[in-house]
């Protein structure tokens, strides 16, 4: 082989090497470009998933905690629409991924055809076949972060909707109770309740259970009695109360329960004992309980310690105030003596 032939062969080999490097660079650029498009599509899908999770959790909250027919139907429709659109988004993402993959393979195929066309009639060293690797979307770590973000959004939206719209009751609530004890041990209890409610769903009433010998009345803020239907049970009476329009004032419910309680206090060895209990489940409640002893009664003890005051007529007042803890039982015990009742007992 002459020197000229050797130079020509070296030039052809160098040209083939440079062309191979250029083609490899083009293949990497094509793969990177379409992988970037796929990652962008997947991120759009995850953002839409976050929106669906937020709206879906809100709808489920309303559906699970409301008893209004219109609210239930509306929530069910929203849930079905979100489910359907989520399925469509999955199909869209699968179609987008397939489209990106086909376009990438077509571009690489065109590069390969161009390389073969230029190589016709030229002796080259055998090269390894081109490897068509699948496109990579978001990394495994990023997908896990998106899943965690969906969980955080679901928890945050669930808590926020329940607190903002006060779903299922609860919210800010307070009671102010006045217990007036008589010398014979009977008592009249007046409990004024103020609680928030959701303007999205306004309750129509509630059920109250009381012993059979109690007299129960429910008054609205105007002092008018609210309708009550009494159902007899084995040991108690169930009072089904229907709210009137005047109960709802400035976004809050206000009503007063008046109970006539015979034998509220027990007499033993000349000492009267009165117990008042309180237990609230599901939410916190501010409470104030004022207990008026009978005229001329002498306070012996109060458990726990109460704020004690005596008015101008010599009547003793005791007051308990605080905020309940969820599902905790509170018991207030008052012991006192009534001079007239002690004389009759002897």
């Amino acid at each position: 082989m002459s020197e000229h032939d050797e130079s020509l062969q070296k030039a052809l080999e160098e040209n083939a090497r440079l062309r191979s490097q250029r083609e490899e660079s083009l293949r990497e650029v094509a793969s990177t470009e379409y992988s970037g498009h796929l990652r962008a599509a997947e991120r759009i899908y995850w953002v839409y998933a976050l929106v669906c999770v937020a709206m879906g959790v809100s709808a489920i909250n309303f559906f699970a905690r409301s008893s209004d027919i219109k609210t239930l139907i509306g929530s069910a429709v929203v849930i079905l629409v979100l489910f359907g659109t989520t399925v469509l988004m999955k199909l869209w993402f699968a179609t987008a991924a397939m489209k990106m993959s086909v376009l990438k393979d077509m571009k690489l195929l065109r590069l390969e055809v161009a390389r073969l066309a230029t190589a016709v009639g030229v002796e080259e060293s055998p090269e390894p076949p081109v490897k068509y690797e699948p496109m990579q979307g978001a990394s495994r770590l990023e997908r896990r972060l998106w899943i965690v973000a969906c969980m955080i959004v679901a928890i945050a939206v669930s808590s926020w909707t329940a607190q903002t719209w006060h779903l299922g009751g609860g919210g800010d609530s307070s009671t102010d109770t006045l217990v007036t004890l008589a010398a014979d041990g009977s008592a009249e209890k007046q409990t004024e309740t103020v609680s928030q409610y959701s303007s999205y769903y306004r309750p129509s009433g509630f059920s109250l259970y009381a012993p059979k010998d109690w007299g129960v009345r429910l008054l609205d803020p105007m002092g008018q009695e609210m309708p009550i239907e009494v159902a007899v049970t084995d040991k108690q009476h169930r009072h089904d109360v229907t709210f009137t329009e005047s109960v709802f004032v400035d976004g809050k419910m206000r009503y007063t329960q008046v109970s006539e309680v015979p034998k509220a206090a027990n007499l033993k060895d000349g000492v009267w004992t009165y117990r008042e209990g309180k237990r609230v489940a599901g939410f916190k409640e501010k409470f104030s309980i004022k207990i008026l002893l009978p005229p001329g009664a002498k306070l012996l003890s109060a458990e726990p310690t109460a704020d004690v005051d005596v008015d101008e007529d010599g009547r003793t007042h005791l007051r308990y105030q605080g905020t309940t803890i969820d599902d905790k039982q509170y018991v207030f015990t008052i012991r006192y003596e009534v001079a007239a009742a002690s004389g009759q007992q002897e």
Side-chain angles (χ1 to χ4, degrees):
M1 181 180 295
S2 64
E3 183 178 352
H4 177 72
D5 293 337
E6 292 179 357
S7 299
L8 180 59
Q9 184 177 0
K10 290 181 180 179
L12 292 174
E13 292 176 355
E14 182 67 17
N15 183 47
R17 186 181 64 81
L18 294 175
R19 188 168 60 249
S20 176
Q21 292 179 353
R22 177 175 175 274
E23 292 167 355
E24 184 66 28
S25 176
L26 291 174
R27 285 194 294 269
E28 292 179 358
V29 170
S31 298
T32 302
E33 177 183 0
Y34 287 107
S35 294
H37 293 328
L38 182 61
R39 283 193 295 272
E42 185 171 357
R43 286 164 184 164
I44 292 174
Y45 167 77
W46 280 113
V47 170
Y48 183 83
L50 289 176
V51 175
C52 286
V53 166
M55 296 179 64
V57 169
S58 301
I60 292 172
N61 250 352
F62 280 107
F63 185 85
R65 304 191 185 196
S66 177
S67 56
D68 181 65
I69 299 299
K70 293 182 179 179
T71 303
L72 293 174
I73 295 174
S75 301
V77 170
V78 172
I79 293 171
L80 292 176
V81 170
L82 289 175
F83 176 78
T85 51
T86 302
V87 173
L88 292 177
M89 280 299 296
K90 290 182 178 180
L91 293 176
W92 170 82
F93 176 68
T95 303
M98 183 181 297
K99 180 180 178 181
M100 298 297 176
S101 179
V102 171
L103 290 177
K104 185 203 75 169
D105 290 345
M106 288 182 64
K107 190 166 186 177
L108 292 179
L109 183 60
R110 291 176 62 185
L111 292 175
E112 185 69 11
V113 170
R115 186 185 71 81
L116 293 176
T118 56
V120 173
V122 179
E123 295 183 358
E124 296 181 356
S125 57
E127 297 180 359
V130 178
K131 296 181 180 180
Y132 296 99
E133 298 181 355
M135 289 186 302
Q136 297 295 330
S139 63
R140 181 177 299 179
L141 176 60
E142 182 177 350
R143 288 174 183 170
R144 290 178 179 176
L145 291 176
W146 280 113
I147 294 174
V148 172
C150 288
M151 296 174 61
I152 293 174
V153 167
I155 296 172
V157 170
S158 177
S159 302
W160 178 72
T161 53
Q163 293 178 2
T164 302
W165 287 293
H166 309 292
L167 299 176
D172 296 333
S173 178
S174 63
T175 57
D176 191 350
T177 302
L178 173 62
V179 180
T180 304
L181 293 169
D184 61 355
S186 63
E188 180 187 76
K189 293 178 60 177
Q190 297 184 14
T191 302
E192 181 183 3
T193 301
V194 179
S195 62
Q196 289 186 337
Y197 69 96
S198 171
S199 58
Y200 188 81
Y201 165 67
R202 193 173 76 170
S204 58
F206 69 101
S207 295
L208 170 68
Y209 290 85
K212 293 182 178 181
D213 57 349
W214 283 28
V216 178
R217 294 180 294 140
L218 270 296
L219 307 178
D220 61 18
M222 305 299 294
Q224 302 295 323
E225 291 193 22
M226 293 187 289
I228 298 178
E229 293 185 3
V230 180
V232 180
T233 62
D234 293 338
K235 297 181 179 180
Q236 294 179 318
H237 284 175
R238 188 184 76 241
H239 301 77
D240 297 324
V241 183
T242 301
F243 288 140
T244 58
E245 288 294 330
S246 57
V247 169
F248 305 96
V249 181
D250 298 330
K252 294 184 178 181
M253 295 189 302
R254 299 175 183 270
Y255 59 88
T256 301
Q257 175 185 336
V258 181
S259 302
E260 303 291 341
V261 185
K263 299 180 182 179
N266 298 319
L267 179 61
K268 183 178 181 180
D269 298 331
V271 177
W272 290 94
T273 301
Y274 174 75
R275 288 185 175 86
E276 177 71 21
K278 191 169 189 63
R279 185 174 185 174
V280 180
F283 58 95
K284 296 181 180 180
E285 180 182 88
K286 295 181 180 179
F287 69 90
S288 174
I289 301 176
K290 184 178 181 180
I291 303 173
L292 277 66
L293 299 187
K298 177 182 178 182
L299 176 65
L300 299 179
S301 65
E303 299 176 4
T305 304
D307 295 330
V308 182
D309 189 17
V310 180
D311 60 17
E312 297 177 353
D313 298 331
R315 193 166 188 175
T316 303
H317 300 210
L318 297 93
R319 183 181 293 276
Y320 292 98
Q321 291 179 317
T323 302
T324 63
I325 299 176
D326 183 19
D327 207 23
K328 179 180 179 180
Q329 179 69 52
Y330 296 83
V331 178
F332 310 101
T333 304
I334 310 299
R335 294 181 175 86
Y336 60 94
E337 289 181 341
V338 179
S342 299
Q344 293 176 2
Q345 183 71 13
E346 294 174 356

